[in-house]
Amino acid sequence: MSNRRSSRQSAGGVSRISDDQIIELVSKLRQLLPEIRNSRSDKVSASKVLQETCNYIRSLHKEVDDPSDRLSQLLATIDADSAEAAIIRSLLM
Amino acid sequence: MRPCDSLKREFLKKWMMGLQSCSSSNKDMSILERKEAIKLSADVAMACARNGATCWSRALIAAGAHSKHGAPREYSNKRIRSKKILKRSCRIRIRRRKRSKCSAQVGRASSISKGLVRQRTRILKSLIPGGESMDEASLVEETLDYITYLRAQVDGMRSLVDASELDR
């Protein structure tokens, strides 16, 4: 289904994401999201791009969960003044 | 162009400072509470790496300042679930309408897709910190910026935790 110009139907007083912004979003997300990268450019609809973006952000939020869990377990078992804590601190220097 | 490594380093630096105060302040935290504190400090670190130059980073910093065990992402789950139900019923409606006559289909399909765009824009706004107060124009820029920093956050957290576990 091809993209229809949003000017065909009046959208009411509130501004929506314009077609140009969608094109900009798509071209930048293309580098980040493999799903959009693989599909043909003229077939990408605004709602699909928004959906992929939301899914990606949600998956990134979930990816933060695992290291948080592990770190929480780790910090629970080591003493803050121990040698291990010093090693972790020195990782950044 | 690889800004990711320097972003990751910036994030890690700030996150370590936050973590040190988090783990020393309350030794009696439960594992879950500590995990939430870790996530909060990671968010604040990510926002500080951005220097509060964007709406999302300012929102995260404000959330961090106002809550001790804040989980700024959790509140949107219920709305996301009800919106998924709405999306599903929209899709069913679209399928039913595709079977009807062509002439009516064109007008309705584009209004359905406009409805989808509106709905998904709202969902995106709920996912980006501070998104509720953004207009659609800045939402796109903020989204792309937020995603970049979120990736650096995930990378940084993974690296630190992987390295920490290796030493045990």
Side-chain angles (χ1 to χ4, degrees):
Chain A
M1 183 163 133
S2 54
N3 273 337
R4 306 223 175 258
R5 303 242 75 224
S6 55
S7 53
R8 268 187 90 190
Q9 280 191 342
S10 56
V14 190
S15 69
R16 307 288 171 213
I17 291 190
S18 71
D19 287 349
D20 291 335
Q21 284 171 324
I22 290 294
I23 292 169
E24 185 199 344
L25 183 61
V26 169
S27 64
K28 292 195 177 141
L29 279 178
R30 187 159 286 179
Q31 301 153 37
L32 300 173
L33 301 181
E35 299 85 40
I36 294 190
R37 205 191 299 146
N38 294 333
S39 69
R40 295 184 345 244
S41 54
D42 56 344
K43 296 283 182 177
V44 181
S45 69
S47 56
K48 178 101 173 96
V49 171
L50 285 171
Q51 186 182 41
E52 292 300 329
T53 310
C54 292
N55 289 343
Y56 188 51
I57 291 181
R58 267 184 231 132
S59 73
L60 284 176
H61 284 171
K62 277 192 213 126
E63 280 190 52
V64 167
D65 259 2
D66 175 55
S68 301
D69 255 328
R70 287 153 62 197
L71 194 57
S72 178
Q73 316 265 4
L74 211 66
L75 288 176
T77 55
I78 64 170
D79 180 13
D81 297 322
S82 73
E84 283 166 321
I87 289 172
I88 294 175
R89 243 173 272 135
S90 69
L91 279 174
L92 290 182
M93 303 305 161
Chain B
M1 175 174 88
R2 282 261 352 207
C4 304
D5 284 340
S6 62
L7 268 186
K8 182 169 143 181
R9 239 174 289 134
E10 254 319 290
F11 162 73
L12 278 172
K13 253 194 277 181
K14 306 215 145 92
W15 189 38
M16 263 320 274
M17 298 194 289
L19 274 181
Q20 279 173 9
S21 54
C22 146
S23 55
S24 60
S25 64
N26 192 349
K27 304 231 161 151
D28 296 325
M29 271 195 234
S30 71
I31 299 249
L32 206 62
E33 283 173 334
R34 187 175 274 108
K35 174 183 167 184
E36 292 305 316
I38 287 170
K39 280 167 83 166
L40 182 67
S41 64
D43 277 344
V44 171
M46 175 173 70
C48 288
R50 195 62 183 89
N51 285 319
T54 55
C55 192
W56 66 261
S57 55
R58 288 190 291 271
L60 279 180
I61 290 171
H66 285 129
S67 75
K68 292 208 152 200
H69 305 289
R73 293 163 188 158
E74 304 308 328
Y75 73 91
S76 55
N77 284 350
K78 288 199 183 128
R79 280 152 85 210
I80 288 173
R81 243 176 273 141
S82 54
K83 280 178 177 161
K84 278 187 179 157
I85 295 170
L86 192 61
K87 257 196 266 181
R88 230 174 282 143
S89 65
C90 272
R91 252 179 261 142
I92 294 170
R93 251 182 274 151
I94 293 171
R95 254 181 253 134
R96 285 196 194 132
R97 281 181 182 152
K98 276 183 176 162
R99 294 189 199 121
S100 66
K101 292 171 188 165
C102 292
S103 51
Q105 189 189 348
V106 170
R108 274 194 217 131
S110 69
S111 73
I112 286 170
S113 71
K114 282 176 79 61
L116 277 179
V117 169
R118 229 170 312 172
Q119 203 181 83
R120 287 166 187 182
T121 306
R122 270 199 302 267
I123 294 175
L124 186 60
K125 277 187 169 183
S126 72
L127 287 172
I128 313 279
E132 306 296 335
S133 54
M134 285 179 211
D135 61 51
E136 268 82 0
S138 42
L139 181 64
V140 173
E141 284 177 44
E142 294 271 336
T143 303
L144 293 167
D145 197 71
Y146 182 56
I147 287 179
T148 313
Y149 276 78
L150 209 48
R151 282 152 61 107
Q153 183 190 55
V154 168
D155 274 344
M157 289 176 88
R158 275 214 203 107
S159 302
L160 180 70
V161 178
D162 286 346
S164 313
E165 286 177 346
L166 274 176
D167 281 320
R168 311 216 74 209

